[in-house]
Amino acid sequence: MTTNNATNVVDVQTAQNATAATNTQTMDHNHPLNLSSTDDLYNGNVKEIDIEWDGLYFLREREREMDVDLTPKLAKQVYGGDGGSYHAWCPNDLPMLKEGNIGAAKLALSKNGFALPRYSDSAKVAYVLQGCGSAGIVLPEKEEKVVPIKKGDAIALPFGVVTWWYNKEDTELVVLFLGDTKTAHKAGSFTDMYLTGSNGIFTGFSTEFVARAWNVEESVAKTLVSNQTAKGIVKLDVGFQMPEPKQGHRDGMVLNCEEAPLDVDIKGGGKVVVLNTKNLPLVGEVGLGADLVRLNGSAMCSPGFSCDSALQVTYIVRGSGRVQVVGVDGKRVLETHIKAGFLFIVPRFFVVSKIGDPDGMEWFSIISTPNPMFTHLAGRTSTWKALSPQVLQAAFKVSPDVEKQFSSKRTAEEIFFPPPN
């Protein structure tokens, strides 16, 4: 054993010496690593040479900043039928989905619509946008829970759960899904694996394999696999009895954001409910936080950013308004008017602000950390209020009088600012 270790040391040292000798031969005095000119540094991915104290030269690739389109987008229908439809946002249309490893989709079920059991490649937060119904949820190695759901419900769906969804009411049931796709088959997209249906997992196995797996006759196996010819969503016959949801199954699984205690309530400005590990511990397994924000008519949401390097994915639930996003270099990268149904993503450390139209605006967001932290750049709790007058005067290059005018404003309001009189 000692001999092997010694040999390994010698081999490594020999290789290092050989590499050093080769590098010495290929370098000339003016252009390390035999670069033909300084222009070579800026061709391809090579951006910079760092010079270490020992005189060695190292090439380092500098990450390129990408000009990513942040324009809000609507979802596109992926499939559907009499029972309802499934819609998704595509990374080709919204590139930040892939860049941020985020997926986004919507499920809409008509009366008696049934979304077949499936498991997903991603952890998600589901938010009920409209209607009421039932959600069947099977956590890994746990029993099925049949959860009654209604408008305003946020549901944490950790990686590996099996779910189904059902609507027995006249009003369409619409559920939004936002989640992390770092475990996904494709970055920026959810992939659902169906247990039944024309694209179900078992349609790919031979009848023999299915029969042996389920310990049934081959004729029974063939019936089980082939009878359901629909894909993803079906409409059940009138009178078919699905399992009744149990109110107790909501505990620990669901938080209604419209009924939960408010985390922020600014008169004339807006309201916020934050979904985190305190009020719904299961989001810790999902790895995401979320919030529901209601901005009053013509009110403003303070410019702010996630100070813990989190992405913010925002879906406009109701109303409309204006939004501006500024990048890390101080340039405005988005200025647009948004309305219900649109989704947009704010990259890490980018600053965002919104102003509602006269009827106000409501949005549901996920943040790529279970307990998000935000820094606001206007209002009572902003960074400006913590800085000394001298620092503000020097930073803005203004007189004490101007600094006092600035510091004397927004001493009571925070996060949301009511419209000016």
Side-chain angles (χ1 to χ4, degrees), residues 8-326:
N8 289 339
V9 171
V10 171
D11 289 343
V12 171
Q13 188 63 53
T14 302
Q16 289 175 339
N17 291 340
T19 301
T22 302
N23 287 343
T24 302
Q25 293 171 1
T26 57
M27 289 182 185
D28 65 38
H29 179 72
N30 294 319
H31 299 296
L33 298 189
N34 211 25
L35 297 172
S36 61
S37 73
T38 54
D39 290 340
D40 287 348
L41 292 176
Y42 303 99
N43 293 331
N45 292 327
V46 178
K47 294 291 186 182
E48 183 177 314
I49 287 182
D50 287 340
I51 302 177
E52 300 292 335
W53 286 107
D54 59 5
L56 294 176
Y57 296 91
F58 294 93
L59 287 177
R60 185 176 68 188
E61 290 187 1
R62 181 187 295 167
E63 185 178 358
R64 297 178 178 179
E65 284 192 9
M66 298 184 64
D67 294 327
V68 180
D69 181 12
L70 301 182
T71 306
K73 295 293 196 306
L74 292 168
K76 294 181 178 179
Q77 181 170 322
V78 179
Y79 61 85
D82 291 341
S85 55
Y86 181 83
H87 308 250
W89 282 267
C90 175
N92 291 336
D93 297 329
L94 196 57
M96 272 304 300
L97 290 172
K98 186 174 182 179
E99 289 298 313
N101 254 327
I102 296 293
K106 280 198 298 186
L107 173 69
L109 295 178
S110 56
K111 185 173 183 178
N112 295 322
F114 174 47
L116 298 175
R118 81 283 307 273
Y119 60 96
S120 177
D121 60 359
S122 304
K124 306 171 186 173
V125 173
Y127 183 73
V128 182
L129 297 169
Q130 176 183 299
C132 59
S134 304
I137 301 173
V138 182
L139 295 168
E141 300 181 2
K142 299 287 180 66
E143 294 182 354
E144 176 189 56
K145 290 190 175 184
V146 182
V147 182
I149 57 174
K150 61 182 179 179
K151 182 177 179 292
D153 279 351
I155 309 154
L157 300 173
F159 181 73
V161 302
V162 171
T163 62
W164 56 260
W165 308 81
Y166 175 63
N167 178 27
K168 69 175 183 179
E169 305 296 336
D170 292 331
T171 302
E172 187 177 48
L173 173 65
V174 183
V175 183
L176 172 72
F177 300 97
L178 301 174
D180 185 348
T181 64
K182 66 175 178 289
T183 60
H185 183 60
K186 297 178 181 178
S189 298
F190 298 138
T191 300
D192 289 336
M193 283 66 72
Y194 298 91
L195 300 185
T196 67
S198 62
N199 59 339
I201 294 297
F202 283 92
T203 59
F205 285 103
S206 67
T207 303
E208 177 196 359
F209 270 59
V210 175
R212 289 193 62 178
W214 291 345
N215 193 25
V216 296
E217 297 292 333
E218 287 197 10
S219 59
V220 175
K222 187 175 181 180
T223 299
L224 288 169
V225 171
S226 62
N227 265 26
Q228 183 56 270
T229 58
K231 175 184 177 181
I233 299 172
V234 300
K235 187 168 186 175
L236 300 181
D237 293 336
V238 176
F240 187 89
Q241 293 295 316
M242 288 290 283
E244 286 296 321
K246 298 180 180 179
Q247 195 67 27
H249 284 178
R250 289 176 60 89
D251 297 343
M253 300 290 297
V254 181
L255 177 75
N256 189 277
C257 295
E258 296 184 355
E259 300 173 355
L262 296 172
D263 292 279
V264 177
D265 186 4
I266 306 297
K267 185 178 180 181
K271 300 177 175 65
V272 181
V273 169
V274 178
L275 184 72
N276 54 32
T277 55
K278 293 181 180 179
N279 51 22
L280 191 60
L282 199 57
V283 300
E285 294 185 35
V286 176
L288 301 168
D291 59 22
L292 177 68
V293 180
R294 293 176 173 177
L295 188 64
N296 286 22
S298 302
M300 180 182 194
C301 182
S302 166
F305 66 95
S306 169
C307 58
D308 49 5
S309 185
L311 287 165
Q312 187 173 0
V313 185
T314 299
Y315 175 85
I316 307 302
V317 176
R318 180 191 61 81
S320 58
R322 292 178 291 148
V323 60
Q324 291 187 358
V325 178
V326 175

